[in-house]
Amino acid sequence: SDAEPDARAALAAAVGGFLELLCRERAVSQPGDALDRALFPLLLILVHDESAIVACAALAALAACGDEAPGLEKCLAPHHVDKIALSLTDLATSRHWRVRAAACHAAPALAPCCASEAQREAVASLLKALAIDAVAEVRLRAAIDGAACAHRFADEVLGLVAALGSSQKSRERECAARWAEALGCALETIPEPERSRVEAGAAACAAGLAADDAQSVRLAS
């Protein structure tokens, strides 16, 4: 409730630090424990803060939990994943482009936790929406983070790249080229047999776009 965004941003970073600690040291939470009583509700409030500085800090803290094993899988229960997935989907329509980019950056941390069809659909819809965002920085963030989700979302990512690559809009085909490039850079993080499938899909997309009628698409590929 502090009036200063910087103070709330610092709180968001602290909450993220506690969450990282829980991920390293404990099993999946149970309803009614400390995560449910205090930490998680506060995190949800902060990611939806009216200040972009605060929301981005909270989302960055969430994203950081996926940087090292075991990640969020270690402590989040399905009801936590549901709420975070819904929050990220909501934030994809934020009026602040930095918040939209930060929401996308949190997706790879959440991806390993998504077991249900609804959870997977929420993350996939986030990537799809931000892949064609009006702001170039957000589109680039979506490509990088979408590629980082490919080890768990290969079908969804390849489907999105194929749809973008066959779009009538040259800007969307440019996006497909960026995604194909990002997937190529992320191949080492994707285990077999998905790696070969993703590699083939990205290569086919890039090859097709290299001969595109639009010069901007050819340059992007």
Side-chain angles (χ1 to χ4, degrees):
S1 61
D2 196 297
E4 292 298 323
D6 287 346
R8 300 199 304 279
L11 176 61
V15 168
F18 281 119
L19 186 58
E20 279 192 83
L21 184 63
L22 286 176
C23 290
R24 290 197 299 268
E25 296 187 356
R26 57 171 291 161
V28 173
S29 69
Q30 299 298 319
D33 70 4
L35 181 60
D36 273 328
R37 289 196 307 270
L39 198 62
F40 191 73
L42 183 55
L43 177 65
L44 291 182
I45 290 170
L46 292 169
V47 300
H48 288 284
D49 195 279
E50 62 183 11
S51 167
I53 293 173
V54 179
C56 287
L59 290 164
L62 184 63
C65 292
D67 289 343
E68 297 182 7
L72 292 173
E73 284 181 287
K74 181 69 174 179
C75 65
L76 294 189
H79 68 281
H80 297 130
V81 180
D82 287 338
K83 291 177 180 178
I84 294 176
L86 180 59
S87 292
L88 295 184
T89 303
D90 288 343
L91 292 171
T93 61
S94 171
R95 60 191 176 91
H96 300 291
W97 71 262
R98 286 183 176 84
V99 172
R100 301 196 302 275
C104 195
H105 192 42
L110 189 64
C113 307
C114 295
S116 73
E117 191 63 31
Q119 292 166 354
R120 295 180 66 86
E121 177 57 32
V123 173
S125 67
L126 169 75
L127 297 175
K128 183 177 181 180
L130 298 182
I132 56 174
D133 194 272
V135 177
E137 287 87 345
V138 179
R139 297 196 300 272
L140 179 59
R141 187 76 263 170
I144 295 171
D145 294 319
C149 292
H151 68 298
R152 297 296 182 104
F153 282 74
D155 290 336
E156 292 87 347
V157 167
L158 289 175
L160 176 55
V161 172
L164 291 172
S166 61
S167 172
Q168 295 297 312
K169 299 178 180 179
S170 61
R171 193 174 78 176
E172 292 187 5
R173 299 198 302 278
E174 288 176 36
C175 292
R178 300 300 184 199
W179 276 71
E181 180 183 11
L183 285 170
C185 294
L187 285 175
E188 290 185 359
T189 68
I190 305 173
E192 294 289 3
E194 302 293 16
R195 180 189 301 177
S196 296
R197 193 157 63 91
V198 170
E199 183 176 19
C205 177
L209 295 174
D212 196 274
D213 292 338
Q215 183 179 25
S216 61
V217 178
R218 296 197 301 273
L219 291 174
S221 61

